[in-house]
Amino acid sequence: QLKSPYGRTAAAPLPRRIRIKRVASSPSSPLAAAPVAAATRPSVPKLPPAGPSLLPRPLRSVPNNGGGGAAGGVAGGVGGGGAAGAGGAAAGATTSAEGASAKFAYSANTQRILTYLRLNGPILLLNFGSLCTLAGFTRTDVLELRIGNLIGNTCGMTYFLFNRLMPPFTWASVFGMTNAYNIYRILEERSDRVVLSREEQLLYEEHFLHHGVTPRQFKIIYEKSAVRKVRRGEIIIRANAPLDYVYLVVGG
């Protein structure tokens, strides 16, 4: 029911039923030629999905080419030849066969290791670089952090170059050069190859050495500062006044 403005209630009109009849449209029908407007979202450009060439490949096992059977055959052949050459000396033939078998097994194991490294060398190098990067992030020293990242970037560059992935190789090169440059700057700051005068050395040892400041850092601070001499009773800093400089009382 609806309330009328005159205070009386009126029954709301019931909606009429509408029947929709489906009409099969033919190619000659005008309904078939009319385009149907559908509400579609605006197309947003997306990056293509990563193909199999961009994803790291799993580790591959070395195929077993029957090295054990070959080793047994070589051992038996060498043992038989040694027995015939020694005129029935079974002990010497057995020793010779065992030595040849051990030598062949050693060479077979070495060949399997080399084959495994050849098949999985790039992916092993990439994982080693990731571990070095993770180890660098666990360190509190910024130099150790940079070195770990540099090793990780170098391993990534090698992996991407081996698989001919140039865009990731370019980015890894940029990160590696950035870390290398910052390592050089840190080593320059921490180096002790600084010549200090007698006055500078006394000032450094008394006020800066015990706070972990390196001689090069102290030299940079000292070159940007100025020595000011004041008379007795002269005001240097007033309380609650804004400061333009940092003062260090050296003596007096």
Side-chain angles (χ1 to χ4, degrees):
Q1 292 182 347
L2 298 179
K3 188 174 182 181
S4 65
Y6 303 101
R8 293 176 298 176
T9 58
L14 298 176
R16 294 181 299 175
R17 293 182 178 180
I18 301 175
R19 293 183 178 181
I20 301 176
K21 185 178 181 181
R22 294 184 179 180
V23 179
S25 61
S26 60
S28 60
S29 173
L31 296 178
V36 180
T40 58
R41 295 182 180 179
S43 59
V44 179
K46 298 181 180 180
L47 294 175
S53 60
L54 296 179
L55 299 177
R57 299 177 180 178
L59 296 177
R60 292 182 291 179
S61 59
V62 179
N64 190 4
N65 53 1
V74 171
V78 173
T94 304
T95 304
S96 177
E98 290 177 355
S101 178
K103 183 178 180 180
F104 183 83
Y106 173 77
S107 61
N109 292 333
T110 305
Q111 187 66 26
R112 288 180 62 86
I113 293 174
L114 294 178
T115 305
Y116 182 82
L117 293 178
R118 180 175 57 84
L119 294 176
N120 304 303
I123 189 63
L124 291 176
L125 187 63
L126 181 64
N127 284 276
F128 174 74
S130 300
L131 291 177
C132 291
T133 303
L134 177 62
F137 279 114
T138 59
R139 309 303 299 171
T140 56
D141 189 5
V142 66
L143 180 60
E144 298 176 356
L145 169 64
R146 293 287 185 181
I147 292 176
N149 288 338
L150 180 59
I151 297 175
N153 295 142
T154 305
C155 295
M157 289 166 53
T158 307
Y159 174 80
F160 296 137
L161 184 62
F162 182 83
N163 290 276
R164 299 180 180 179
L165 303 175
M166 299 314 297
F169 171 78
T170 304
W171 281 112
S173 302
V174 172
F175 295 149
M177 289 185 293
T178 303
N179 285 316
Y181 175 71
N182 283 280
I183 289 174
Y184 170 76
R185 291 186 56 187
I186 294 173
L187 293 177
E188 283 292 321
E189 287 185 0
R190 295 185 179 183
S191 63
D192 296 333
R193 296 175 298 176
V194 179
V195 179
L196 300 178
S197 63
R198 179 64 179 174
E199 180 183 358
E200 294 173 353
Q201 186 174 359
L202 293 176
L203 180 63
Y204 170 72
E205 293 177 355
E206 183 177 357
H207 297 282
F208 293 90
L209 177 62
H210 304 289
H211 296 283
V213 180
T214 62
R216 180 171 293 276
Q217 293 172 346
F218 166 75
K219 190 69 175 180
I220 295 174
I221 297 174
Y222 188 83
E223 291 176 352
K224 293 184 178 181
S225 61
V227 179
R228 177 182 173 184
K229 296 182 179 181
V230 296
R231 300 190 184 95
R232 181 183 298 272
E234 183 178 351
I235 297 177
I236 302 175
I237 301 173
R238 295 185 180 274
N240 300 325
L243 297 178
D244 297 329
Y245 301 96
V246 176
Y247 295 93
L248 174 63
V249 180
V250 177

